[in-house]
Amino acid sequence: MRVPTRWLIALGGAAVISVTAALPAFAHPLGNFTINHYSRIQLAGDQVGVHYVLDLAEIPAFQEKQRIQDDSGYLDRHIADLARGLSLQVDGKPVKLTVADHSVELLAGQGGLQVMRLEINLTSASLSGGSHEASYRDGNYAGRLGWREIVVQASAASLQNASVPSRSVSQELRQYPQDRLTSPLNVTQARFRFIPGASAAAESTTVSQAGGVRLVPDRFAALIVPKDLSLPLLGFSLLVAIVLGGLHALSPGHGKAVMAGYLVGTQGSTRHALVLGLTITVTHTAGVFALGLVTLYAANIVTPERLYPWLTLFSGVSILVIGAALVLTRTRTAFHSHGHDHGQGHVHGSGKTGLTRRNVVMLGITGGLIPCPTALVVLLSALSLHRVAFGMLLILAYSVGLAIVLSGIGIAVASGTALLSRVRPAFSLHGISRAASLIPVASAAVVAVAGIALTAQALPGIR
């Protein structure tokens, strides 16, 4: 009785893992793909000023640096494009915002990469006296991940009402509230009513140079940074990368629930477990290099963070289809075996399961399809620091650790499945045999649930 109980507990744990969203450790608090926006609308005298800030995390900052270096006129054109993306209307009529000044600040990011803080000051033409109804909209980088915040402040003018607050909760993108990291602020429009000052001139808004965001340390990305790479340090770094890859495999996601459910549901062997673990790892690693190429050469066509929801959706739907088919197969087998148990006093074999190497490889590909953002940071850092070979070695070592742990989990599950198949005949009394025969059905259901969870996770990000 203890063996089926143990397996049911294990399946329960796998089910919990399957519905837990994968939360990789990012360097930037909101993710190293994000572009974060802040607008401070300043009502000063008879003018409206806007202090506009963009906080670019490591990956978009890397891309912007490449564009600035490749094209001397890019930054000026980009500033003009950003200004056109900000719209101000007063009393229903558009009011042009003119760039007064701007600055670009590069701050230390993760893995030798930098984050970028771009600040722009804009002003409107002089407005007539009396009460005005105004609206403001930030249309830049629509659809991209990130924090969006707008505040309205008044100096030498009277602010009568506003749809947004007067103080920034993120300290102008310098310190994001911890309780809002999983649900970032998303304010792109503001409405306000004001009366300009009778004779005061617009106050100039200076560009602040004070510090950047607080970055979350990432040990794997830190391995690429040391300036002097001696042979002992190289070996130690690769060893640490292997350990970190193994620990990464234990975090939520990475197909562990899918692997466990599939191997139990099909009564897979140790060889199947090894193939499945290695396939997940190879796919996971290949995705990093593919996403790196997209980041470098195709970001104008599709941004990396846009690919993640689609990859997740494809993976989720594929796993759901595999799980649903497996549930039907194992259910038929379980009831067929139960009928024989009543009619002949014993349980026959598990029947046809459709377990082939091709099926195992396909499941491994879908389970490992979503690449690791941390490894992508290491790859881009290696390119930036001109350490491509070292970066690739680190990613390969990281993948070895991932493969060891995932394959170990699969082998443990496969060994337990073999043990379960040997002891099942001993549980032929008091309905225990039927309970044991339903374990593969429950395992197959775990695969289907994992597919549903991934699909549900992907859908909100599809645009």
Side-chain angles (χ1 to χ4, degrees), residues 216-232:
V216 179
D218 189 291
R219 292 177 178 84
F220 181 42
L223 294 176
I224 194 74
V225 177
K227 294 181 180 179
D228 300 320
L229 281 178
S230 62
L231 192 59

Side-chain angles (χ1 to χ4, degrees), residues 47-50 79 83 97-103 119-124 203-207:
Q47 289 183 314
V48 177
V50 176
I79 296 294
L97 290 169
T98 303
V99 176
D101 56 55
H102 70 270
S103 73
E119 303 191 38
I120 310 173
N121 287 322
L122 308 101
T123 58
S124 74
E203 297 181 0
S204 62
T205 306
T206 59
V207 174

Side-chain angles (χ1 to χ4, degrees), residues 50-70:
V50 176
H51 181 58
Y52 188 61
V53 182
L54 289 179
D55 168 32
L56 284 72
E58 286 86 350
I59 292 175
F62 177 88
Q63 294 169 322
E64 285 299 296
K65 280 182 58 182
Q66 295 294 111
R67 295 182 183 116
I68 292 171
Q69 291 170 1
D70 294 342

Side-chain angles (χ1 to χ4, degrees), residues 37 39 136-140 148-150 164 186-190:
H37 308 228
S39 298
Y136 170 85
R137 181 176 178 273
D138 177 6
N140 291 316
R148 290 173 173 82
E149 183 179 9
I150 301 174
V164 295
N186 187 27
V187 179
T188 59
Q189 300 182 67

Side-chain angles (χ1 to χ4, degrees), residues 96-119:
K96 184 179 179 181
L97 290 169
T98 303
V99 176
D101 56 55
H102 70 270
S103 73
V104 177
E105 186 178 9
L106 295 174
L107 304 166
Q110 196 63 54
L113 294 180
Q114 294 174 308
V115 295
M116 179 181 290
R117 184 177 176 88
L118 174 60
E119 303 191 38

Side-chain angles (χ1 to χ4, degrees), residues 162-438:
S163 62
V164 295
S166 61
R167 286 192 172 187
S168 170
V169 297
S170 68
Q171 296 186 20
E172 299 190 349
L173 306 184
R174 293 189 183 90
Q175 185 174 345
Y176 298 93
Q178 292 294 315
D179 59 347
R180 295 301 305 268
L181 296 183
T182 56
S183 56
L185 203 62
N186 187 27
V187 179
T188 59
Q189 300 182 67
R191 294 185 176 276
F192 50 98
R193 179 186 298 168
F194 69 104
I195 300 175
S199 59
E203 297 181 0
S204 62
T205 306
T206 59
V207 174
S208 171
Q209 299 293 334
V213 298
R214 294 184 178 180
L215 301 177
V216 179
D218 189 291
R219 292 177 178 84
F220 181 42
L223 294 176
I224 194 74
V225 177
K227 294 181 180 179
D228 300 320
L229 281 178
S230 62
L231 192 59
L233 181 59
L234 175 62
F236 178 74
S237 299
L238 295 178
L239 181 61
V240 171
I242 291 172
V243 173
L244 292 175
L247 293 175
H248 181 64
L250 295 175
S251 63
H254 306 102
K256 292 184 294 294
V258 175
M259 174 188 287
Y262 189 79
L263 290 173
V264 174
T266 58
Q267 296 185 0
S269 65
T270 299
R271 179 171 57 86
H272 293 131
L274 193 60
V275 171
L276 187 55
L278 291 175
T279 305
I280 290 175
T281 302
V282 170
T283 307
H284 199 252
T285 306
V288 173
F289 291 107
L291 202 60
L293 292 175
V294 169
T295 303
L296 289 171
Y297 302 113
N300 292 329
I301 301 173
V302 57
T303 56
E305 73 273 12
R306 288 275 185 93
L307 286 177
Y308 265 88
W310 287 104
L311 291 173
T312 304
L313 180 65
F314 178 78
S315 178
V317 171
S318 300
I319 291 172
L320 175 59
V321 170
I322 293 171
L326 192 58
V327 167
L328 293 175
T329 301
R330 301 314 297 171
T331 301
R332 285 198 299 265
T333 301
F335 282 99
H336 177 72
S337 299
H338 181 60
H340 278 280
D341 184 40
H342 279 287
Q344 301 178 17
H346 65 278
V347 180
H348 282 273
S350 61
K352 183 179 180 179
T353 63
L355 181 62
T356 65
R357 178 172 294 184
R358 179 182 178 183
N359 291 345
V360 172
V361 169
M362 287 302 299
L363 182 66
I365 290 173
T366 57
L369 193 60
I370 307 169
C372 173
T374 303
L376 178 59
V377 168
V378 171
L379 179 62
L380 296 181
S381 298
L383 292 170
S384 178
L385 297 172
H386 305 291
R387 294 180 172 181
V388 177
F390 180 48
M392 294 181 70
L393 282 175
L394 284 176
I395 293 173
L396 289 175
Y398 192 75
S399 301
V400 168
L402 189 72
I404 290 172
V405 172
L406 286 180
S407 298
I409 292 172
I411 290 170
V413 171
S415 300
T417 303
L419 174 63
L420 179 62
S421 65
R422 288 199 299 271
V423 301
R424 279 174 64 183
F427 298 101
S428 57
L429 300 175
H430 308 297
I432 297 177
S433 176
R434 183 177 184 182
S437 69
L438 291 176

